[in-house]
Amino acid sequence: QVQLVETGGGLVQPGGSLQLSCAASGRTFSRFARGWFRQAPGKEREFVAALFRNNGRNYYSDSVKGRFTISADNAKNTMYLQMNGLKPEDTAVYYCATDPGLILSDLRRHTAYDYWGQGTQVTVSS
């Protein structure tokens, strides 16, 4: 079992920045696939960014590439999402997720992840 807790959401003006954190407990999730997803009202949950085990690569959706940065502190068993240049269309509940057995080809599929945090609201508005 893995428990995930996201923090860091809030209200920010367009062009602003936020950093989300996802703290894991129960297992060392640096060896697993780890992802950030988001869900806006009335929309399907969508992939934002991910790390695949410790292969050294970061994966992003086209909509956030160049603005968001995913990282991890394995010693703290924590993953981060640094969000810069925020836009109103980034408004959503952001979730972190992980799965011990997930394969690389499923990295962007939210249905492939078994463990989820409770979500944190990010609102971008003036």
Side-chain angles (χ1 to χ4, degrees):
Q1 287 282 356
V2 182
Q3 294 79 42
L4 303 175
V5 178
E6 302 102 333
T7 55
L11 172 64
V12 64
Q13 291 188 341
S17 298
L18 281 175
Q19 185 183 63
L20 306 183
S21 299
C22 173
S25 61
R27 294 180 70 177
T28 302
F29 83 151
S30 61
R31 295 175 292 176
F32 309 156
R34 296 156 283 172
W36 287 99
F37 292 80
R38 65 187 182 187
Q39 189 165 19
K43 294 190 175 181
E44 197 167 324
R45 192 166 297 190
E46 65 170 354
F47 171 77
V48 175
L51 302 169
F52 184 72
R53 300 178 185 171
N54 286 315
N55 73 353
R57 294 184 59 187
N58 299 343
Y59 301 84
Y60 298 99
S61 67
D62 289 342
S63 62
V64 308
K65 195 176 296 182
R67 299 188 298 125
F68 291 12
T69 302
I70 188 172
S71 64
D73 184 334
N74 293 337
K76 295 182 178 180
N77 217 23
T78 300
M79 178 175 66
Y80 304 96
L81 185 68
Q82 177 65 42
M83 305 185 294
N84 299 328
L86 282 161
K87 305 175 181 179
E89 51 264 42
D90 295 318
T91 295
V93 177
Y94 283 70
Y95 299 90
C96 64
T98 190
D99 190 280
L102 192 141
I103 58 175
L104 185 57
S105 59
D106 286 338
L107 198 63
R108 290 173 169 80
R109 292 180 51 234
H110 66 88
T111 55
Y113 290 76
D114 278 346
Y115 299 100
W116 291 85
Q118 82 287 354
T120 185
Q121 176 70 46
V122 172
T123 303
V124 185
S125 175
S126 54

